[in-house]
Amino acid sequence: MDIADRRTAADPDMWNLATAIRALAMDAVEQANSGHPGMPMGMADVATVLFRNHLKFDASTPDWFDRDRFVLSAGHGSMLLYSLLHLTGYEDMTIEQLKNFRQLGAITAGHPEYGHAAGIETTTGPLGQGLATAVGMAIAEEAMRAEFGSDLCDHRTWVIAGDGCLMEGISQEAIGLAGRQELGRLIVMWDDNNITIDGRVSLSDKTDQKARFEASGWRVLECDGHDAKDIDRALTEAKKDDGRPVFVACKTIIGFGAPTKADSHKAHGSPLGGDEIAATRVAFGWNHSPFTIPHDVADAWRAIGAKGRDTREAWSARVDALGDDERAEFTRRIGNKVSPHLAPTIHALKEQTIAGAPKVATRKASENTLEVLNPEMPENFGGSADLTGSNNTFTKDLGIFSPENRTGRYINYGIREHGMAAAMNGIVLHGGFRPYGGTFMCFTDYARGAMRLSALMGVPTVYVMTHDSIGLGEDGPTHQPVEHLAICRATPNTLMLRPCDQVETAEAWEIALSRESTPSVLALSRQNLPTLRNEAGDENLSMKGAYVLREASAEPKVVLMATGSEVEIAVAARETLEAEGTPTRVVSVPSMELFREQDPEYRRQVLPGDTVRIAVEAAIRQPWDWLLLGERGREERSDFVGMTGFGGSAPAKDLYKHFGITAEAVVEKAKALL
Amino acid sequence: MDIADRRTAADPDMWNLATAIRALAMDAVEQANSGHPGMPMGMADVATVLFRNHLKFDASTPDWFDRDRFVLSAGHGSMLLYSLLHLTGYEDMTIEQLKNFRQLGAITAGHPEYGHAAGIETTTGPLGQGLATAVGMAIAEEAMRAEFGSDLCDHRTWVIAGDGCLMEGISQEAIGLAGRQELGRLIVMWDDNNITIDGRVSLSDKTDQKARFEASGWRVLECDGHDAKDIDRALTEAKKDDGRPVFVACKTIIGFGAPTKADSHKAHGSPLGGDEIAATRVAFGWNHSPFTIPHDVADAWRAIGAKGRDTREAWSARVDALGDDERAEFTRRIGNKVSPHLAPTIHALKEQTIAGAPKVATRKASENTLEVLNPEMPENFGGSADLTGSNNTFTKDLGIFSPENRTGRYINYGIREHGMAAAMNGIVLHGGFRPYGGTFMCFTDYARGAMRLSALMGVPTVYVMTHDSIGLGEDGPTHQPVEHLAICRATPNTLMLRPCDQVETAEAWEIALSRESTPSVLALSRQNLPTLRNEAGDENLSMKGAYVLREASAEPKVVLMATGSEVEIAVAARETLEAEGTPTRVVSVPSMELFREQDPEYRRQVLPGDTVRIAVEAAIRQPWDWLLLGERGREERSDFVGMTGFGGSAPAKDLYKHFGITAEAVVEKAKALL
């Protein structure tokens, strides 16, 4: 059917609603002289039907907890989302913002950025992330509904995904997890336009996507993505929750309506150009200047933005009707506010630890911490990428989250590090839970794409990364992180915590669970470590990032800095040096990021000038240079004991010796510089 | 069927061959007191049938080019591979090596490490990598066969993959690519044992794997993984190449034969223990002490290892019969030796560039380089993860590799960065081609898992990473690398090259394509950059890592260091400083790794002490500290102009100004320190 026939056949109101989106998208891209017009033009009909007839939302209250979540996984089509937000009346999405698409300071970034504008549920653009994040949102919805009842939580998660999203590996992790978890309120609308940047999809793929989703337990529907009635039929059907997530294959034409560029990769990522836009306007029967929406169409869209008001107000009334305590807790939970139980629980654990001075791996110390926290903090939502017994992430009170037990608070994510990380982002973005999830530190490699989005969005996802060095031992170099501490420290807005014992591990959890806009990475040892902290104190010393763990017997001549499992080595080296008459201080550095935030006066106190400085960490040196050479350190008086290349396969003790990460090596290097 | 019935029903010879593997695996894991016995015990029957009846190999000549490739994607089952190599007579895989499994200095690492022992075709362990790497091997086989004929190249690629491999997202990228490319000689044997570390697969997945593979164009077969006849039937069928890659679902029992631990995650990752092993021996009727193989079984295995000799010798005779030139070129190609055309072609391009002084983006400079190299170097094998027009990776002479055109040397990898990286590893490991592949620098995040393996294995895969900074512009922070230069530099054995103009880009390609055991990452700009090098010279100055690009008018008081697109800024800042009477040197730093390898004398010449030092790079500072604060630099006389957080969405020029990465900022910081 050509566009003239489409127009004749269409309901005029629906046609104009969708055309408004298309016009704004092509005009904004043209004005920016960059962007992606093809996808918004192709999916405008589907989005119109979704927003008009199905999506539960109220544009006047974007953060209404019980709204449906709408995730534009194909984030390059950002103008689809921005147009919808503008047209339905989201206050901050003004026409000026659309005119300033992709310009400095505008909230209309090239790809939707969480936090820039109300109505952007998650940052998308790196393909597949939106889909995988939406799985987390749907998990959180099920769990919150189970806990608080459908009067307070009763909504769906809708996703628009393109071929790029579905080719990325993360999509398989997401659909496998969603299928297993029977997330029947997750609905993915596939923009099946058969085009990628390089050309037709067939250049690189011949996967039968419908069969693929079915194979993972999804319900599959289809529709003509340019026929409003057919779309409506499919979306109506999709809302029937039968315990299977829903995949709606929407057959569309990229750049729909553009006379020479539609159905071609030329419509994907560049402005259409003045002539093509003019011809497209004619084809649509849209005689309005750029960025101009006729009143009747604007009014119709505003009405769509307001149609959820009654539902939202009824929900608010139900919240208001709750008892004070229940309402306060529900409000705290959906706002992801820090638990009042966190600090006292941690403090008690620290006191108890110092009395017992256990020798445990910090992964076990983490489990010990979770065992006291999880019963006190119903928002904690754990999991592991199939390493539960190794990551020590499960505590018995949690129960396993599954279709049969929606009040379970622990997920077997499967062997899906990337999918797990994205799902955790979705859980925290949804609100109600604080997700944490484990894998081996080395497999941050597999999760990087989503971990970076935690940081960019500023969401407090907690990564429990165990086996954080060659201390992993026999599994060998494929499983031994060497550069990964540097990678996490290099990533903006990411808090890397590497505690040295049970006390610091408890403190690290307190820090991670206190954060509201920073993800945390807990780097934890496989091997047992002694309790090194002698007093609990009232203060969380790890919050300072670095602090004096063992003071020198006199004005320090040597300062040893270390993290995690290497603090023990520094402490042993100190004893030798002190015994030989060299006053030596040990500084524990659980977090470089937090130390950097301290005032310079404190930093100078901890790291005085004019001493020998040695840093010890079973990883590469790159992040240590600033503490060794800067902050008044000097090249000729500093050295590093750590790794310079990949690890090896052997018992941990043998590896530490082989790579020269020993107290003896520290002492020797210190003495050479004295 | 229980094990007694199995034993009764089995052919005794086959039973004993497989039992030898099982015994060695459980004994070695027991001796090491760590490792994974369950998988080798479960897949021993399949492996025995494969090696005995189907695999084309000659244990006396492990590097025979035309051998079948066998990839153990489920790398934790390393003892399966080591047992096979030992039993079939690979010279270096002695019984002592098996006894030293997972010990320091042994070639029997916890996971198979490429380069440690002959017969390990690729490093595996991070799940899914073997499968995705094997796709590259199968691509290379098709391409070499098309180029040199089936007299010289005519083999298959066999993979054993477990549930972990199939749950990882990279597997979807691999199977989608293999299905599209109709790699009919790729055969994946799925160890369908229904167990993961956390328990039964159903805890985290209910994907119908057979339907999933079929959906991507694979041929699916099944067999009883403990019935030698049924396995043989399936593998015989699998060898019929009908243009579909083959997925053989082998129904197995993890830890087969262990009376209490079989079919349980308890058999997966821990020694079975003495009692269980004794009982297992009884069940198998295997009355031999640990590490002892009876002569008849040992002889039978040796005969299997030698059965390919005639075939191999016939192949060698065919190679010997080639004309001298053809043989020399074939030998060079399969040895991945550097082309004699490389250096002169690069030199000519440099001369021509300096004459023309073009202003081009380094991604375009890269294309210009490939346009002269590719016709001279038939081993170059390009591709892109669906960003061909942006990465500038295609040159017309290459042709598109596809089922219809196996002599094409360019692959549309699809939106599959991870799969692309792993496939490239497979292509170079196979031999015959030098693969390079492009995506945006930021999406190294998606490819990290495989990029790390390039480094760990020491294979010269070339990553063409364009849009390498905020210079990417309007697509915004999701697409703008900030920490990724630091990440690549933090990774051991990875060469990060960030050229500043067409001349350095040509030099970077020369370096990358000269390497034999290091992967290279070329970080290339989206935006145009002027030609800054004034002379081509006989030397590749970039090989020194850093060099004086613009000398100061007198003894330098300021040294400006920069890479890539920021060298232009440093040169402009120098002009201002010089005009104001401050002698200023500009040092271009295309590769920190190479500079680090220079002798200290050269480094001191380039970076003298007692100057102000400013580094300029549109990325985070972390990797610069050693050049700013160390190498005789001083904290109080150095500064950095770059990024401290994520980027933004705006035209590149606006972003550089917004983030203060300008010549003015450099001048100001320099003057503040003078």
Side-chain angles (χ1 to χ4, degrees), chain A residues 32 34 36 102-105 108-113 123-129 163-173 176-177 179-182 196-199 202-208 211-212 215-217 243 384-389 400 410 412-418 442-443 445-446 448-449 452-453 455-456 474-484 486-487 489-493 596 620 622-623 625-626 629-633 635 644-646 649-651 654-655 658, chain B residues 32 34 36 102-105 108-113 123-129 163-173 176-177 179-182 196-199 202-208 211-212 215-217 243 384-389 400 410 412-418 442-443 445-446 448-449 452-453 455-456 474-484 486-487 489-493 526 596 620 622-623 625-626 629-633 635 644-646 649-651 654-655 658:
Chain A
S34 85
H36 301 78
R102 294 181 153 236
Q103 304 307 304
L104 198 64
T108 46
H111 294 81
E113 300 281 340
T123 294
T124 52
L127 292 169
Q129 293 291 338
D163 290 299
C165 294
L166 301 193
M167 270 198 241
E168 292 287 3
I170 190 175
S171 67
Q172 185 64 27
E173 302 186 20
L177 179 59
R180 166 63 186 94
Q181 289 294 345
E182 301 181 10
T196 75
I197 292 175
D198 277 2
S202 58
L203 272 176
S204 55
D205 198 31
K206 57 179 190 181
T207 297
D208 177 343
R212 176 187 168 207
S216 284
S384 166
D386 197 47
L387 287 168
T388 295
I400 303 290
Y410 189 86
N412 296 104
Y413 282 109
I415 300 121
R416 304 183 178 111
E417 298 80 9
H418 205 175
C442 207
F443 300 133
D445 282 346
Y446 277 50
R448 264 289 300 170
R452 186 177 204 249
L453 285 192
L456 181 58
E474 293 90 340
D475 273 352
T478 51
H479 287 52
Q480 288 164 358
V482 167
E483 70 273 38
H484 303 78
I487 290 173
R489 290 170 180 148
T491 307
N493 195 39
R596 216 182 268 270
I620 62 142
Q622 189 189 83
D625 281 327
W626 74 286
L629 308 175
E631 296 266 313
R632 288 179 150 189
E635 188 169 22
T644 57
F646 294 109
S649 172
D654 296 347
L655 290 173
H658 175 72
Chain B
S34 85
H36 303 78
R102 295 181 153 236
Q103 305 308 304
L104 199 62
T108 45
H111 294 81
E113 299 281 342
T123 295
T124 52
L127 292 170
Q129 293 290 340
D163 290 300
C165 295
L166 302 193
M167 270 200 241
E168 292 287 3
I170 190 175
S171 67
Q172 185 64 28
E173 302 187 18
L177 180 59
R180 166 63 186 94
Q181 289 296 344
E182 300 181 11
T196 74
I197 292 176
D198 276 3
S202 58
L203 272 176
S204 54
D205 197 34
K206 57 178 190 183
T207 296
D208 177 342
R212 176 189 167 207
S216 285
S384 165
D386 198 47
L387 287 169
T388 296
I400 302 291
Y410 190 87
N412 296 103
Y413 282 108
I415 299 120
R416 302 181 178 114
E417 299 79 10
H418 205 176
C442 207
F443 300 133
D445 281 347
Y446 277 50
R448 263 290 299 169
R452 187 177 203 251
L453 285 192
L456 182 58
E474 292 90 339
D475 274 352
T478 51
H479 286 52
Q480 289 164 358
V482 167
E483 69 273 39
H484 302 79
I487 290 172
R489 289 170 182 148
T491 308
N493 194 40
R526 177 194 185 199
R596 216 181 268 268
I620 62 141
Q622 188 172 283
D625 281 327
W626 73 286
L629 307 174
E631 296 269 310
R632 290 175 148 191
E635 189 169 21
T644 57
F646 294 108
S649 171
D654 296 347
L655 291 173
H658 175 70

Side-chain angles (χ1 to χ4, degrees), chain B residues 123 166 182 208 239 316 326 346 383 422 468 507 555 562 578 584:
Chain B
T123 295
L166 302 193
E182 300 181 11
D208 177 342
K239 288 195 293 186
S316 293
E326 202 184 344
I346 293 290
D468 69 350
E507 291 185 340
E555 188 78 10
E578 285 278 357
T584 301

Side-chain angles (χ1 to χ4, degrees), chain A residues 447-468:
Chain A
R448 264 289 300 170
M451 292 178 75
R452 186 177 204 249
L453 285 192
S454 309
L456 181 58
M457 290 192 281
V459 293
T461 306
V462 180
Y463 296 95
V464 184
M465 299 312 199
T466 70
H467 298 62
D468 68 350

Side-chain angles (χ1 to χ4, degrees), chain A residues 56-68:
Chain A
K56 174 176 163 182
F57 76 111
D58 177 357
S60 75
T61 313
D63 61 351
W64 170 30
F65 172 74
D66 203 26
R67 70 192 180 277
D68 282 0

Side-chain angles (χ1 to χ4, degrees), chain A residues 343-498:
Chain A
T345 306
I346 292 291
H347 190 74
L349 176 63
K350 282 164 63 180
E351 295 279 9
Q352 178 198 328
T353 299
I354 281 168
K359 179 161 181 162
V360 293
T362 46
R363 62 181 171 134
K364 178 67 183 169
S366 170
E367 180 182 343
N368 294 341
T369 309
L370 291 169
E371 271 177 356
V372 293
L373 284 179
N374 284 344
E376 297 292 328
M377 295 177 67
E379 63 264 44
N380 288 358
F381 201 96
S384 166
D386 197 47
L387 287 168
T388 295
S390 299
N391 300 142
N392 298 62
T393 31
F394 182 66
T395 64
K396 284 197 185 113
D397 60 300
L398 292 177
I400 303 290
F401 180 84
S402 74
E404 297 74 40
N405 180 22
R406 292 301 197 202
T407 59
R409 287 157 55 209
Y410 189 86
I411 294 202
N412 296 104
Y413 282 109
I415 300 121
R416 304 183 178 111
E417 298 80 9
H418 205 175
M420 173 177 75
M424 289 200 291
N425 285 341
I427 290 168
V428 70
L429 284 165
H430 178 273
F433 293 101
R434 285 249 180 194
Y436 68 84
T439 184
F440 287 169
M441 183 76 196
C442 207
F443 300 133
T444 51
D445 282 346
Y446 277 50
R448 264 289 300 170
M451 292 178 75
R452 186 177 204 249
L453 285 192
S454 309
L456 181 58
M457 290 192 281
V459 293
T461 306
V462 180
Y463 296 95
V464 184
M465 299 312 199
T466 70
H467 298 62
D468 68 350
S469 75
I470 53 169
L472 166 139
E474 293 90 340
D475 273 352
T478 51
H479 287 52
Q480 288 164 358
V482 167
E483 70 273 38
H484 303 78
L485 302 176
I487 290 173
C488 293
R489 290 170 180 148
T491 307
N493 195 39
T494 297
L495 198 53
M496 233 288 297
L497 293 151
R498 191 164 187 251

Side-chain angles (χ1 to χ4, degrees), chain A residues 166 175 190 192 201 205-215 220 222 247 249, chain B residues 172 176 211-218:
Chain A
L166 301 193
I175 72 175
W190 172 33
D192 179 15
V201 167
D205 198 31
K206 57 179 190 181
T207 297
D208 177 343
Q209 297 291 358
K210 289 176 284 189
R212 176 187 168 207
F213 275 75
E214 265 173 349
V220 172
E222 297 178 63
F247 181 69
Chain B
Q172 185 64 28
R212 176 189 167 207
F213 275 76
E214 265 172 349
S216 285
W218 287 56

